[in-house]
């Protein structure tokens, strides 16, 4: 299985600057799982979702194909971190109550991952996948960030990114789908923190690698004019798109 690593280079910043998923999301996942014994957080990255899941489930298996990401992930006594691919987890069959995939399904070979998910889930086990696209602050600021996303670093996005823009709606999902509530992430950030977040984008990192300069410099003046006091914290919103399904097969 080929693994294209877009995140190990910026793993430390990824852990520092990524927004946090809402508590209500994990309350919901805990409620719909057949039990709260074992959850598999697949493609865990910096372990952000895994740590939240550890407050709801007795055991968390958190996997990622990037050894660097796993080394940087937040530690927790209930989390068992493993370096494996999504398509070949090594988890025992029929052991998992719920599988979570946060902002990562678009990197997988879907047919192989879905087969693996069905293998490791308990009867009536749940697969929950979610993603988020561009943030929202205010229309004028959003326009600058949209320009950065589409025009400045746009050519450097991996093709898989386009799947997120469609919110996973067009992807095959061979599970009995549920109708989840709507969720969103919120944060209060200074301008400096926003710039740090933009630098974690895989397209930004590819731009830097090829051009040896930081592309956020092209928009910093515009953002400063619109932001006002750079230390001022403004609310940042990321709407989440989530698909949830139950495996109706018995083993």
């Amino acid at each position: 299985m080929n693994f294209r690593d877009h995140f190990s280079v910026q793993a430390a910043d990824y852990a520092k600057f990524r927004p946090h998923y809402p508590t209500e999301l994990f309350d919901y996942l805990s409620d719909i799982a057949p039990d709260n014994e074992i959850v598999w957080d697949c493609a865990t990255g910096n372990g952000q979702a895994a740590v939240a899941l550890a407050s709801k489930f007795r055991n968390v298996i958190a996997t990622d194909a990037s050894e660097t990401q796993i080394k940087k992930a937040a530690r927790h006594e209930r989390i068992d971190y493993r370096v494996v691919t999504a398509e070949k987890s090594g988890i025992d069959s029929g052991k998992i109550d719920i599988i979570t995939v946060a902002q990562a399904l678009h990197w997988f070979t879907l047919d192989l991952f879905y087969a693996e998910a069905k293998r490791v889930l308990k009867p009536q086990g749940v697969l929950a996948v979610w993603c988020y696209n561009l943030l929202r602050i205010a229309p004028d600021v959003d326009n600058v960030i949209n320009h950065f996303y589409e025009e400045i670093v746009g050519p450097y996005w991996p093709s898989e990114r386009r799947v997120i823009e469609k919110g996973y709606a067009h992807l095959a999902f061979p599970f009995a789908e549920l109708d989840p509530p709507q969720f969103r992430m919120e944060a209060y950030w200074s301008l400096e923190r926003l710039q740090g977040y933009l630098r974690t984008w895989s397209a930004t990192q590819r731009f830097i690698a090829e051009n040896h300069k930081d592309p956020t410099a092209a928009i910093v003046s515009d953002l400063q004019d619109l932001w006002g006091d750079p230390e001022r914290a403004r609310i940042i919103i990321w709407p989440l798109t989530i698909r949830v399904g139950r495996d109706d097969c018995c083993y």
Side-chain angles (χ1 to χ4, degrees):
M1 181 64 58
N2 293 325
F3 165 58
R4 291 186 290 169
D5 190 346
H6 298 283
F7 301 102
S8 288
V9 171
Q10 69 269 31
D13 282 346
Y14 196 90
K16 179 179 179 181
F17 290 110
R18 285 284 143 160
H20 293 280
Y21 302 115
T23 300
E24 294 81 6
L25 170 62
F26 301 102
D27 292 339
Y28 168 72
L29 297 175
S30 175
D31 287 343
I32 64 173
D35 197 358
N36 295 148
E37 183 61 33
I38 306 179
V39 55
W40 172 24
D41 186 40
C42 182
T44 193
N46 62 18
Q48 179 191 127
V51 171
L53 289 163
S55 69
K56 302 294 180 181
F57 292 84
R58 286 179 284 277
N59 298 282
V60 180
I61 299 173
T63 68
D64 202 281
S66 168
E67 184 176 2
T68 303
Q69 287 275 40
I70 290 293
K71 287 181 178 178
K72 297 288 185 180
R75 292 1 244 185
H76 191 286
E77 61 183 1
R78 294 187 183 180
I79 301 176
D80 175 12
Y81 285 108
R82 304 177 186 180
V83 181
V84 295
T85 65
E87 298 84 358
K88 195 171 183 179
S89 69
I91 297 171
D92 291 342
S93 298
K95 296 294 185 181
I96 302 297
D97 294 297
I98 188 167
I99 301 168
T100 57
V101 183
Q103 195 75 355
L105 186 70
H106 49 291
W107 303 119
F108 300 171
T109 302
L110 287 185
D111 56 343
L112 297 180
F113 169 68
Y114 287 147
E116 183 72 347
K118 288 176 176 290
R119 182 185 68 79
V120 303
L121 281 172
K122 294 177 180 177
Q124 297 297 304
V126 173
L127 172 64
V129 305
W130 63 87
C131 65
Y132 57 92
N133 193 22
L134 289 178
L135 52 85
R136 299 175 185 171
I137 304 174
D140 51 359
V141 178
D142 296 350
N143 287 338
V144 174
I145 294 174
N146 291 347
H147 172 72
F148 178 76
Y149 175 88
E150 295 172 359
E151 303 299 331
I152 297 178
V153 300
Y156 297 88
W157 284 111
S159 59
E160 291 88 348
R161 176 71 192 187
R162 302 307 172 191
V163 179
I164 285 183
E165 294 174 355
K166 297 179 180 179
Y168 293 164
H170 66 297
L171 295 182
F173 199 72
F175 296 83
E177 287 208 59
L178 307 179
D179 185 20
Q182 293 185 341
F183 300 100
R184 71 183 196 179
M185 297 185 294
E186 295 183 1
Y188 287 88
W189 282 354
S190 66
L191 179 56
E192 181 182 9
R193 191 163 183 85
L194 173 64
Q195 289 177 256
Y197 167 71
L198 297 177
R199 291 190 189 102
T200 68
W201 286 1
S202 60
T204 306
Q205 290 299 310
R206 291 176 73 181
F207 184 105
I208 292 171
E210 293 190 21
N211 298 283
H212 308 289
K213 61 181 180 179
D214 181 358
T216 65
I219 62 168
V220 66
S221 178
D222 289 338
L223 286 176
Q224 287 173 342
D225 290 343
L226 296 169
W227 200 275
D229 179 0
E231 297 301 316
R232 173 192 174 192
R234 300 185 65 162
I235 187 170
I236 321 290
I237 295 172
W238 296 261
L240 290 178
T241 299
I242 180 169
R243 294 185 73 178
V244 183
R246 197 176 297 281
D247 185 17
D248 288 332
C249 296
C250 297
Y251 299 92

